[in-house]
DNA sequence: CTGTTAGCGCGTTCAT
DNA sequence: ATGAACGCGCTAACAG
């Protein structure tokens, strides 16, 4: 716990000179610099960032408020991306949970504000349109994986429409003609966008849109996928491909397909969504799916904030990041 | 960005009185308190924690250093537990990634130290014995999900021996007699402990230990589980139960069992380990497994640190937390 | 190239 | 019940 003054005394210089050395100020002779560095090592001196932050009025701190963190663990990639970008820019992240509770979220943001974060990211686990916490905008902020209706806050979201399009098109290109869609719950923003992309791909390739081939799940879980797939397989003319709006649905669909004695992808091709590694990579056959750009969104959000912090105000941007196709063995 | 002085001026008191109100000092008349609170609201004053931290020499900050965060996402529960405990105690967490790189980890810890965290948690994604980063101990610290050989740093780990015992015993109690074990790679601390528990349960119930029934995987992935299970099913007398040292192995084992036309749990009972929700809950039938106390370890670690911070030094504790049996449908 | 003075926003100490 | 002076550890602004 040596202080800058003690280092100065030990090195026989003023404490300001120590400050210069610590901050790589060129205006220090090589000689004194060496003596100061010796003293620093000898005393185990470490600059006190709390004091520096107070003086410079900068904290190099970013807040990350997540609605929930544990339930969709693959979304930690968003945090990872934010961490990596922050580290690169010399920032640190303070991560807090809103626990899907408005008051709790507001309190969490309040604490972040008191700690003088230089920006905040508000991240949701599912892509949706939200009503942002009121105090969020008291610091420069970005919404990640969600956006607000009036677009007054910067945001970055996955391009689910294009994702839906690409998923459908890869099936079409593999020669399939009756392509079913097992979607998420109908109201979800992601569900609508993916379905729009699905329809656009069908239309582009002059395939009919058949409502009988489109099903919705209640909560996007494997059981849902299993039952919806069974319904599809009971159709007079069964589909030869299915686009599942997430990998868990696909997991259930796999079971239904296998129980019917059908083979993937020979009889039915399957594309999932989310690239939830633990499912997609391990299903047999491995699942072809669309990856969500969680890492990239986290990275984007921090880049946006650090640039905003560096350059003062800047235009409110709305980022849209692509969902890459991950080819495996189910198409 | 109102300061405490501006509030004082607005309320017609000295800034010290404002400080008293903010800190709930009883020595303020109800009258002045009301006026001060009005001024605070009018100006949107928010205490500056950076300044307060500097003055009180306390930050209410805890560091959490993780070796990696993305690859085993279910371990985020450790973070969740730490967050919850920290919030309850009025602390915040700064989470940094070591990325499994020694230099990076040391740098990350250094930054945490400069920011004057009051304690640090070093968490690994897999339960193992480690050589802790050298600068970790410069603040009160705890190891979570790992421990060091000399036990000089507090730690909290899962009780894998008891977990292995319980997993095996639930199979025995269900009437199985030939219980196979598909373990992790042989050197892992968790693998050894689970196997010790497995043997203890067999011995207690007077069942023979048969080396032919014990297999090791290379990396604990489904493909491994699939192949090891096929080997076990090729035995002259096939097992009637299998204890898989993680859920991914069990996932592969399921495929092998099903391909052999055998039914779970009728013909072969399966117990996994990790309670990796996305797998365990969604396999068909749902997998009975042992839960890892990630949440509890995170919680424990923060409780330990906040107590240590409050009471000065205290005995170096080594915590061991139970792995609860999660009964589903595979036994 | 180096040192001095001042003050960031707050809490502590002691006075009134 | 309230206020004045001081200093936490550091950097900014200015001397020299």
């Amino acid at each position: 716990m040596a202080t800058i003054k003690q280092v100065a005394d030990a090195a026989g210089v003023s404490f300001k000179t120590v400050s210069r050395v610590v901050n790589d100020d060129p205006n220090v002779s090589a000689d004194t610099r060496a003596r100061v560095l010796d003293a620093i090592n000898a005393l185990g001196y470490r600059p006190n960032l709390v004091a520096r932050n107070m003086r410079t009025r900068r904290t190099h701190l970013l807040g990350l408020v997540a609605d929930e963190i544990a339930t969709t663990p693959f979304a930690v990639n968003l945090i990872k991306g934010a961490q990596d970008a922050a580290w690169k820019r010399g920032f640190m992240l303070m991560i807090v949970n809103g626990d899907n509770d408005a008051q709790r979220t507001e309190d969490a943001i309040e604490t972040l504000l008191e700690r003088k974060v230089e920006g905040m990211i508000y991240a949701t686990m599912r892509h949706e349109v939200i009503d942002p916490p009121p105090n969020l905008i008291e610091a420069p902020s970005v919404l990640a994986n969600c956006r607000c209706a009036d677009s007054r806050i910067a945001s970055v979201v996955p391009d689910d429409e294009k994702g839906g399009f690409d998923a459908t098109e890869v099936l079409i290109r593999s020669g399939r003609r009756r392509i079913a869609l097992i979607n998420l719950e109908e109201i979800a923003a992601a569900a609508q966008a993916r379905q729009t992309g699905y329809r656009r791909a069908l239309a582009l390739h002059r395939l009919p849109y058949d409502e009988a081939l489109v099903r919705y799940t209640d909560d996007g879980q494997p059981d849902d996928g299993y039952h919806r797939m069974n319904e599809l397989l009971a159709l007079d003319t069964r589909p030869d491909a299915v686009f599942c709006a997430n990998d868990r649905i696909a997991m259930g669909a796999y079971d239904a397909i296998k129980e019917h004695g059908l083979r993937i992808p020979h009889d039915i091709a399957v594309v999932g969504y989310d690239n939830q590694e633990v499912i997609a990579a391990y299903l047999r056959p491995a699942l072809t799916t669309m990856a969500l750009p969680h890492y990239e969104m986290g990275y984007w959000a921090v880049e946006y904030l650090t640039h905003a912090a560096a350059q003062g105000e800047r235009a409110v941007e709305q980022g849209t990041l692509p969902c890459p196709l991950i080819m495996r063995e189910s198409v």
Side-chain angles (χ1 to χ4, degrees), chain A residues 126-143:
Chain A
R126 290 180 309 181
H127 175 189
E128 52 200 343
V129 176
I130 59 149
D131 195 16
N135 51 352
L136 186 69
I137 53 167
E138 299 197 29
S141 39
V142 199
L143 307 176

Side-chain angles (χ1 to χ4, degrees), chain A residues 163-178:
Chain A
F165 177 88
D166 289 346
T168 308
E169 196 171 50
V170 72
L171 289 168
I172 297 172
R173 287 191 196 281
S174 81
R176 317 293 167 154
R177 287 298 171 264
R178 277 183 69 70

Side-chain angles (χ1 to χ4, degrees), chain A residues 49-64:
Chain A
L49 290 197
V50 177
R52 176 183 293 171
N53 290 346
M54 159 124 156
R55 179 67 243 223
T56 59
R57 316 182 115 270
R58 294 210 51 186
T59 57
H60 290 269
L61 224 47
L62 259 22
L64 171 40

Side-chain angles (χ1 to χ4, degrees), chain A residues 92-107:
Chain A
M92 293 215 80
L93 239 45
M94 302 214 60
I95 303 168
V96 294
N97 278 41
D99 286 344
N100 274 320
D101 175 87
Q103 186 57 52
R104 172 77 150 73
T105 302
E106 209 173 319
D107 291 349

Side-chain angles (χ1 to χ4, degrees), chain A residues 108-140:
Chain A
I109 293 176
E110 193 62 23
T111 308
L112 253 18
L113 257 10
E114 291 179 352
R115 287 189 185 266
K116 304 297 171 202
V117 295
E118 297 184 20
M120 291 190 290
I121 301 167
Y122 183 81
T124 57
M125 291 304 122
R126 290 180 309 181
H127 175 189
E128 52 200 343
V129 176
I130 59 149
D131 195 16
N135 51 352
L136 186 69
I137 53 167
E138 299 197 29

Side-chain angles (χ1 to χ4, degrees), chain A residues 5 46 75 124 127 152 219 227 271 325:
Chain A
K5 281 185 194 154
R46 195 163 12 229
T124 57
H127 175 189
R152 304 216 321 167
D219 55 5
H227 294 304
V271 175
L325 172 68

Side-chain angles (χ1 to χ4, degrees), chain A residues 114-310:
Chain A
E114 291 179 352
R115 287 189 185 266
K116 304 297 171 202
V117 295
E118 297 184 20
M120 291 190 290
I121 301 167
Y122 183 81
T124 57
M125 291 304 122
R126 290 180 309 181
H127 175 189
E128 52 200 343
V129 176
I130 59 149
D131 195 16
N135 51 352
L136 186 69
I137 53 167
E138 299 197 29
S141 39
V142 199
L143 307 176
N145 204 29
C146 56
R147 53 190 187 80
C148 55
D150 59 11
S151 298
R152 304 216 321 167
I153 304 181
S155 67
V156 57
V157 295
D159 192 344
D160 282 309
E161 197 275 343
K162 177 133 194 319
F165 177 88
D166 289 346
T168 308
E169 196 171 50
V170 72
L171 289 168
I172 297 172
R173 287 191 196 281
S174 81
R176 317 293 167 154
R177 287 298 171 264
R178 277 183 69 70
I179 298 169
L181 166 63
I182 307 181
N183 210 341
L184 307 169
E185 35 177 3
E186 199 161 357
I187 50 155
Q192 291 169 8
R194 289 171 197 178
Q195 184 158 353
T196 304
Y198 165 80
R199 293 190 70 154
R200 184 160 66 84
L202 291 181
L204 184 72
H205 292 271
R206 304 183 193 287
L207 290 175
Y209 172 74
D210 181 352
E211 279 201 341
L213 292 179
V214 177
R215 309 277 155 161
Y216 296 95
T217 62
D218 293 330
D219 55 5
Q221 299 298 2
D223 271 348
D224 265 333
Y226 177 78
H227 294 304
R228 297 297 86 74
M229 193 68 220
N230 272 331
E231 292 168 16
L232 289 165
L233 292 172
L235 255 32
D236 288 341
T237 321
R238 66 159 176 79
D240 55 9
V242 59
F243 168 29
C244 300
N246 76 28
D247 293 347
R248 295 190 302 282
I249 293 172
M251 188 177 181
Y254 263 50
D255 283 327
I257 294 169
K258 289 177 180 176
E259 284 183 20
H260 278 255
L262 298 168
R263 282 156 50 204
I264 303 168
H266 183 267
D267 302 310
I268 297 193
V270 182
V271 175
Y273 215 111
D274 289 358
N275 192 30
Q276 197 162 354
E277 295 279 350
V278 76
I279 293 180
Y282 301 155
L283 282 176
R284 309 176 69 85
L287 180 66
T288 292
T289 190
M290 310 301 298
L292 251 12
H294 277 121
Y295 182 91
E296 290 76 11
M297 290 191 289
Y299 204 97
W300 191 100
V302 167
E303 285 285 297
Y304 178 85
L305 286 178
T306 52
H307 286 143

